[in-house]
Each structure stands twice: as structure tokens, then as C-alpha cells.
Amino acid sequence: MDIDRIKAFAISEGYKDVQYLGKWRGYDVYEPTMGEGVSYIGLPFIVLVQGDTIRMSTEEEAFQQIRETEDD
């Protein structure tokens, strides 16, 4: 998937950029950010990309991804 399309999706959701976190359950995972510095603004939602589909995680998926990748 083209990174510009992923960034455009994040911008449409109110963010400024994304940072690639790695793979998780068949998805490419991106952290949406507000730009430079710390960007914690609520629940730790992530952008999930699979094939041509881009979507925000659910609350449950966000916490599952954190739990399952803590030891990586």
C-alpha cells in the first residue's frame, strides 16, 4: 500500500502523520501521530492496513496489539 494513501487516511481522521510499527495478525500497523513529540490524546488507536483496505482499529484491537507485541 502506498504510504501517501495511508497518511491521507490518518489526516482524514484528524491526525498529521503515521509511523510504521510492524506486522500484526496479517495487518501492517501504523501509529497515527500529531507530528513531533508525544501525541497521546486518548485511546491508543492504530491504523490497520491489509491489501487495499485501510481502517482504524477498534478499542479492543488496539489493546490486543499492545499486549501481543509488548515482548517484541
Side-chain angles (χ1 to χ4, degrees):
M1 166 84 54
D2 178 45
I3 189 66
D4 290 332
R5 186 169 165 214
I6 298 165
K7 286 181 182 182
F9 173 80
I11 290 168
S12 77
E13 294 289 318
Y15 297 94
K16 294 194 184 219
D17 204 353
V18 293
Q19 179 180 348
Y20 182 70
L21 297 179
K23 298 260 186 202
W24 177 72
R25 293 189 175 195
Y27 290 96
D28 288 322
V29 179
Y30 295 83
E31 177 183 5
T33 65
M34 296 304 290
E36 300 280 326
V38 176
S39 62
Y40 303 113
I41 56 172
L43 292 172
F45 290 109
I46 49 180
V47 176
L48 299 174
V49 179
Q50 191 173 55
D52 289 333
T53 303
I54 305 171
R55 67 179 180 87
M56 292 301 290
S57 66
T58 64
E59 214 176 288
E60 183 178 312
E61 287 172 322
F63 287 112
Q64 284 175 337
Q65 190 270 341
I66 289 170
R67 282 191 302 272
E68 292 175 14
T69 58
E70 280 180 327
D71 298 329
D72 289 350

